Amino acid sequence: MRNLKGLFLIVCLLFSLGGFAQKNIKVDFLGQKIKANLICIASQPTIEESDAQAVFNINETLMGAIREAQFLDINIMMSKDTIKSDYLVFVIEVDQAQKLTLEMFDDGSFVMVADCTFSVNTGGNFLAVDVKNINKGVYNFRLKDEEGSEVNKRVVLSKKS
């Protein structure tokens, strides 16, 4: 029982610190092999998560009508082609180091990646999201900074045969 309590505390600590140990991976990006920082793993929501998300989406839509969007001033580059690999790879170029948060959700606004917070350094940053656990389809990709400014992109995933 004592070991279970210790394990539970470690898991809670990991989640409070971002929950995901980032690592460098070798991936294809625009026809070239590069090293990218794997920042998070996308996953399909459970039925319970889907129900909670539906209620959240209604509230978010109502609140969105009240607030005005602020656009994040960063350069982001990703392939305009359909993503056919297990990784969504993109480049973020910034003038100063900062923390960003990634969210990724489907057209029904169901979250595949939530609150994936990571740091970027001044200059170009090659980043990747593991998307092998989600279905093919069209997804919305949102990056936010600590002040709430954001940039949105659409991504099309097509699984390998």
Side-chain angles (χ1 to χ4, degrees):
M1 186 68 167
R2 175 178 265 184
N3 288 340
L4 288 177
K5 286 182 182 178
L7 179 61
F8 178 74
L9 289 173
I10 291 170
V11 169
C12 289
L13 180 61
L14 283 174
F15 277 106
S16 68
L17 295 175
F20 183 80
Q22 296 180 15
K23 66 178 181 176
N24 284 321
I25 57 172
K26 288 185 181 181
V27 292
D28 286 319
F29 183 69
L30 302 176
Q32 296 183 352
K33 280 277 193 202
I34 61 152
K35 285 185 183 177
N37 191 12
L38 180 64
I39 57 171
C40 51
I41 298 173
S43 63
Q44 293 294 134
T46 65
I47 292 172
E48 293 83 12
E49 290 169 335
S50 295
D51 290 344
Q53 186 66 46
V55 172
F56 176 79
N57 290 343
I58 292 168
N59 185 40
E60 188 72 11
T61 300
L62 294 172
M63 295 305 292
I66 296 171
R67 68 173 182 241
E68 183 178 327
Q70 296 176 329
F71 296 103
L72 183 57
D73 187 24
I74 62 170
N75 292 322
I76 181 169
M77 185 173 74
M78 59 178 53
S79 175
K80 290 178 176 46
D81 298 329
T82 299
I83 309 301
K84 296 179 181 175
S85 74
D86 289 340
Y87 298 100
L88 167 60
V89 182
F90 56 100
V91 179
I92 294 177
E93 187 175 350
V94 293
D95 292 333
Q96 60 183 330
Q98 59 184 297
K99 283 191 176 193
L100 298 172
T101 300
L102 167 70
E103 296 173 338
M104 192 168 149
F105 46 95
D106 66 11
D107 279 343
S109 296
F110 292 104
V111 175
M112 305 297 143
V113 174
D115 298 326
C116 175
T117 302
F118 58 96
S119 296
V120 290
N121 297 318
T122 302
N125 298 266
F126 288 94
L127 304 165
V129 176
D130 184 331
V131 294
K132 68 179 160 251
N133 295 322
I134 61 175
N135 298 328
K136 66 181 180 177
V138 178
Y139 293 91
N140 297 302
F141 176 96
R142 178 186 299 152
L143 284 174
K144 293 192 267 186
D145 67 8
E146 292 178 314
E147 285 79 43
S149 298
E150 63 185 54
V151 63
N152 294 284
K153 298 278 186 184
R154 292 185 59 80
V155 177
V156 179
L157 299 180
S158 170
K159 299 299 178 172
K160 293 184 274 188
S161 316

